[in-house]
Amino acid sequence: MKKLKQLLLISVVAALLQGCGAYSFTGADIDYSQTKTFQVNLFQNNAPIVEPGIARDFTIQLQDLLLNQTSLDLVNNNGDLVYEGEIVEYYIAPITATSQSTAAQNRLTVAVNVRFYNSDDEEKDFEQRFSFYFDYDGAAQLTGAALDDALNVIFERITQDVFNKSLANW
């Protein structure tokens, strides 16, 4: 009876391991036997209003996200996965007004056009625009650390959306 229980336990564990296959806690659907590297080209800032440094910051944040959520290696050229594009929008607009006709709240919006190429599966290639925003008090000036915080919130969301579209099959 004891051997039967052990055999049953081993069978259940084997079935569970077989059924789960390659599971990723990040949701990435990557065949690591074929895909080993990625490259992120510098995203140029082509927005009508140019905020210095945001092209570099976005590129680095996308690289960091991919390094942290996959086992892929970052390369400068000939990557199995290639990300490129440009920042196409950067603007601030009032979203609510006070009774004195001034802005009670403003919104910073950033949009990024992304082109993704998968050398192993060209059907997964895409070009898409991703955008997000950050709302802040109309009396505040979005400069220095406040601007850095706002851009981090925006870039965190956009880079996660890019990751989900390119690697999580969402």
Side-chain angles (χ1 to χ4, degrees):
M1 189 63 162
K2 187 175 183 179
K3 288 194 184 250
L4 184 60
K5 286 183 182 179
Q6 288 176 341
L7 182 61
L8 183 61
L9 179 64
I10 291 172
S11 298
V12 169
V13 169
L16 286 173
L17 291 176
Q18 182 81 15
C20 292
Y23 179 76
S24 166
F25 289 106
T26 64
D29 182 19
I30 301 170
D31 181 0
Y32 288 107
S33 65
Q34 290 183 340
T35 307
K36 303 206 180 303
T37 62
F38 74 94
Q39 106 186 36
V40 179
N41 297 332
L42 178 66
F43 279 74
Q44 297 294 321
N45 189 347
N46 294 339
I49 298 174
V50 175
E51 178 65 35
I54 67 170
R56 180 198 67 238
D57 294 346
F58 178 80
T59 302
I60 291 170
Q61 201 157 340
L62 182 57
Q63 289 172 343
D64 289 347
L65 178 108
L66 291 164
L67 285 170
N68 291 331
Q69 293 193 14
T70 69
S71 297
L72 300 172
D73 294 321
L74 175 63
V75 295
N76 291 327
N77 51 35
N78 298 322
D80 296 322
L81 307 176
V82 178
Y83 296 84
E84 65 181 28
E86 52 278 333
I87 297 171
V88 293
E89 265 184 14
Y90 176 96
Y91 69 91
I92 296 172
I95 57 172
T96 58
T98 66
S99 59
Q100 292 83 27
S101 297
T102 60
Q105 199 171 27
N106 288 324
R107 174 173 286 175
L108 168 63
T109 303
V110 177
V112 181
N113 188 51
V114 176
R115 288 178 296 281
F116 170 74
Y117 304 101
N118 184 331
S119 65
D120 298 322
D121 187 357
E122 291 181 6
E123 289 183 15
K124 293 184 178 180
D125 294 358
F126 68 84
E127 181 171 356
Q128 183 174 329
R129 179 181 171 131
F130 297 87
S131 67
F132 199 62
Y133 59 88
F134 181 83
D135 295 339
Y136 63 98
D137 186 77
Q141 290 293 319
L142 202 54
T143 58
L147 177 60
D148 291 342
D149 292 344
L151 288 171
N152 280 332
V153 167
I154 293 169
F155 290 164
E156 182 178 326
R157 175 63 178 267
I158 292 175
T159 57
Q160 190 63 55
D161 287 348
V162 170
F163 175 85
N164 290 342
K165 172 73 175 171
S166 62
L167 297 177
N169 292 330
W170 284 23

